[in-house]
Structure formats: C-alpha cells, structure tokens
Amino acid sequence: RGGGGARRGGGGAGGAGAHAVLALCEALLEMPALALEPAAKPVLSPRLMEACMWSLARWADTYLLPDEPLPGELQPAYGASEGRAPQLLDGIVRVALACLVG
C-alpha cells in the first residue's frame, strides 16, 4: 500500500507523494523509539505501545520486507540492499524487547 500512496501524491515516485510517505514513515518510527528512553517509559501506556508495535509490524511488512521492489525514493531509504533496513530491523527488535520486558 505504501508504494501506491507515493504514486498518487504528486507526479510519480520522485514527486511530493514520495516525500510525504518518507515523512510519515519517519514519524511512525519515532513514536515507538520513545520506549527506549527511560524518562519516557512512565508516560507510555501498554495499549499505546501495543498499537505502535502493531503499526511497526505492518510497516516492516510493507517497506522492509516487500513482495515487490519499492518505488523511487523509498528503495534507497528502506531497501535491504542499499537502505537502512538492517538498522531499522534492529531498532524494531530493541523496541519490542523493551515493551515486553519493561
């Protein structure tokens, strides 16, 4: 689904739609990262973190483990061969562990 939004938004994968998808992805990745900050843990509810982890799982399935190549600017950003996929997967696992153990 993420690739379709990039194509609709503004003239192809290199247009404004791709930038919007990248910005939305970055925002989605920032929220669960709060679970790794000790000062933020007291204000993060278990339900909020459950929703974050569900969203991350769906996001990873779409962007980190896609069935087809990612379009345009998304491949360099999240692709397994040239993007940040290994670092992002490591971060997702660390957040999941923090949610389960913390």
Side-chain angles (χ1 to χ4, degrees):
R1 294 180 191 237
R7 284 188 285 274
R8 277 193 303 267
H19 294 293
V21 170
L22 288 169
L24 185 59
C25 288
E26 291 303 316
L28 175 66
L29 294 170
E30 287 175 12
M31 180 63 187
L34 290 173
L36 301 175
E37 296 183 23
K41 281 189 178 185
V43 296
L44 298 175
S45 73
R47 179 68 180 126
L48 174 65
M49 294 314 299
E50 177 187 355
C52 284
M53 291 309 302
W54 180 86
S55 297
L56 276 178
R58 297 278 308 214
W59 179 87
D61 189 43
T62 301
Y63 293 101
L64 294 184
L65 307 166
D67 292 333
E68 6 180 288
L70 294 172
E73 295 177 29
L74 300 178
Q75 182 62 35
Y78 305 118
S81 61
E82 57 197 67
R84 301 183 302 161
Q87 296 88 357
L88 291 169
L89 284 173
D90 179 63
I92 291 171
V93 169
R94 287 188 299 128
V95 168
L97 287 173
C99 291
L100 292 172
V101 174

